[in-house]
Amino acid sequence: MNYQHVTVAGGGVLGSQIAMQTAYFGYDVTLYDISEEAIAQAKERTAALNEPYRQDLKATDEQLQAAHERLTYTSDLAEAVKEADLVIEAIPEVITIKVDFYKKIATLAPEYTVFVTNTSTLLPSQFAEATGRPEKFLALHFANHIWRNNTAEVMGHEGTEQKYFDEVVHFAQSIGMVALPLYKEQPGYILNSLLVPLLDAAEMLYVNEVADPETIDKTWMIGTGAPLGPFAILDIVGIKTAYNIVQMKAEATKNDNYIRLAQLLKERYIDQGKLGRETGEGFYKYPNPSFAHPEFLK
Ligand code: NAD
C-alpha cells in the first residue's frame, strides 16, 4: 500500500524533523501534540528547519512553502489519526506514556493504519500488545538531523508481518532515508550497538588516566580513517546526555569507574558550562576544533 496520510505524534526534537521531512517529500502530514502550547513550539521547530533545508538540501522557497502547506497541526488525537495510513510515534521515551498513547490510538485509528515507533532505547515488543495490531507495528528509528544524517533503522518484533515491514522500508526510502533493515529485535539497533561500546571504552581510557581525549581521538582517527574520534562524537551527542547515561550506569552497577566518570564529567564540563558543540565548548572548542586541523593527525 502506498501511504498518503502520515501522522506524526510528538512535535519535539525528532517529531518536528520527521514531520517536516515527510511533508517535504510530498506526503500530507498531521502533527499531533498534547497541548496548544506544545503545538506552538512544534510550529517554531518546523519553521526553524527552513534554513538547514536550504543549506543542506538546496531547498527552494517554493519547495519549503509547499512542504509547510502539506503540514497540519492538531492537539485532538481522534482528529489526528482518523485517516492516517501511517502513525509515526515520537513522544517521550517513557514506557507508561507510550503504552497509554498506543492504547488510545488502537481504538481511534482505522484498522488499516500502520504504527511505527521512533524509540531509541526501548523495543517494539514492549508495546506490541497495547497497539491492538501487533502485525502492523514495528520500529522506524531516525537519527537527529534526519534530513542530513539520513539513517532509518527498521526493526520489527516477532509478531510484525513482513508485508508491513516492507511497506515501512519503502516509505523510509521515499522520504530520502537510507533504510537499514534489522532481521530481529536488538536493543540500540545497529548504530548504538556499535557506538555505545566505543564511547564507553573511550571514556574508560580517559577516567583511568590511560590517555587524554585528544590522544584517544587521534588514535581512532589515524588507525581507522574515521573523520571523528569518540570525544568529538561525545561533543555532538552533548555532554549532559553522556553524563545522564553514565550516571544511570553508576547507579545501576555501583561501579567505581562510572561513579568517578560521572563526577569528572560534572565537575570539569557541565559545571563549567562546557556541554559540547551546542555551547561552543566541550572536549573541544568550536567552531575551529583542534581535531579539524591537518596538524592534528601528525
Ligand atoms: P522531545 O522531548 O523533544 O519531544 C517529545 C514531544 O512529545 C514533545 O513535543 C511533547 O509535548 C510530546 N508529548 C508528550 N507527551 C505526549 C503524549 N502523551 N502524546 C503525544 N505527544 C506527547 O523528545 P525527542 O527527543 O523528540 O524524542 C522523541 C522520541 O524519539 C523518543 O522515543 C526518543 O527516544 C526518540 N529519538 C530521539 C532522538 C534524539 O536525538 N532526540 C533520536 C532518535 C530517536
Side-chain angles (χ1 to χ4, degrees):
M1 172 173 154
N2 273 332
Y3 304 143
Q4 280 182 4
H5 300 286
V6 177
T7 296
V8 177
V13 175
L14 256 280
S16 57
Q17 296 176 16
I18 298 166
M20 178 68 175
Q21 182 79 4
T22 305
Y24 185 76
F25 278 84
Y27 291 87
D28 291 326
V29 179
T30 303
L31 196 158
Y32 164 77
D33 212 311
I34 38 169
S35 63
E36 286 312 313
E37 200 188 333
I39 294 282
Q41 278 181 2
K43 282 184 182 166
E44 274 175 30
R45 286 200 168 97
T46 53
L49 290 171
N50 283 352
E51 208 37 55
Y53 272 64
R54 278 195 194 101
Q55 275 190 10
D56 297 334
L57 303 183
K58 308 284 167 251
T60 63
D61 289 346
E62 293 73 35
Q63 286 173 314
L64 291 167
Q65 195 187 335
H68 287 289
E69 280 168 10
R70 284 190 286 268
L71 255 172
T72 52
Y73 299 80
T74 181
S75 57
D76 178 337
L77 189 54
E79 181 65 27
V81 300
K82 73 173 191 216
E83 55 176 14
D85 297 312
L86 177 70
V87 174
I88 304 176
E89 173 268 303
I91 70 174
E93 194 74 340
V94 177
I95 297 178
T96 49
I97 295 181
K98 289 198 197 281
V99 167
D100 182 57
F101 173 78
Y102 283 119
K103 281 189 176 158
K104 282 190 191 140
I105 62 166
T107 54
L108 292 173
E111 217 178 291
Y112 58 78
T113 311
V114 173
F115 299 164
V116 294
T117 176
N118 183 43
T119 182
S120 292
T121 60
L122 305 168
L123 293 169
S125 55
Q126 291 175 265
F127 309 108
E129 201 191 317
T131 66
R133 60 189 78 201
E135 75 290 351
K136 296 194 191 77
F137 178 58
L138 60 154
L140 173 59
H141 183 239
F142 297 92
N144 196 10
H145 303 142
I146 77 166
W147 67 94
R148 199 178 61 214
N149 302 339
N150 60 338
T151 56
E153 295 178 287
V154 184
M155 182 173 85
H157 61 96
E158 273 197 347
T160 306
E161 260 180 42
Q162 190 65 38
K163 171 180 177 331
Y164 302 109
F165 186 96
D166 294 343
E167 278 182 15
V168 170
V169 166
H170 177 75
F171 165 76
Q173 289 164 339
S174 76
I175 59 163
M177 296 291 116
V178 177
L180 305 161
L182 278 76
Y183 297 135
K184 52 165 89 160
E185 275 199 338
Q186 164 70 26
Y189 303 84
I190 297 171
L191 182 59
N192 283 334
S193 296
L194 296 167
L195 192 55
V196 173
L198 172 72
L199 300 181
D200 198 83
E203 288 173 313
M204 284 304 133
L205 291 170
Y206 178 39
V207 77
N208 287 318
E209 297 174 343
V210 175
D212 60 73
E214 291 204 341
T215 307
I216 297 166
D217 276 8
K218 211 180 277 194
T219 311
W220 183 253
M221 290 164 73
I222 301 173
T224 67
L228 298 176
F231 289 95
I233 297 174
L234 280 165
D235 274 350
I236 296 173
V237 171
I239 296 180
K240 212 149 189 188
T241 303
Y243 169 79
N244 290 339
I245 296 169
V246 170
Q247 183 66 20
M248 265 188 327
K249 286 183 182 165
E251 275 167 23
T253 63
K254 309 282 178 227
N255 179 311
D256 186 50
N257 285 330
Y258 287 126
I259 295 169
R260 285 186 298 118
L261 179 59
Q263 214 170 353
L264 181 152
L265 292 177
K266 182 169 183 313
E267 285 168 9
R268 275 195 217 165
Y269 299 94
I270 296 174
D271 289 350
Q272 318 284 329
K274 299 177 184 173
L275 303 184
R277 273 201 186 208
E278 192 196 346
T279 56
E281 188 168 357
F283 292 103
Y284 295 93
K285 278 194 181 146
Y286 300 87
N288 293 308
S290 59
F291 65 78
H293 299 165
E295 314 82 69
F296 189 77
L297 299 181
K298 288 185 182 150

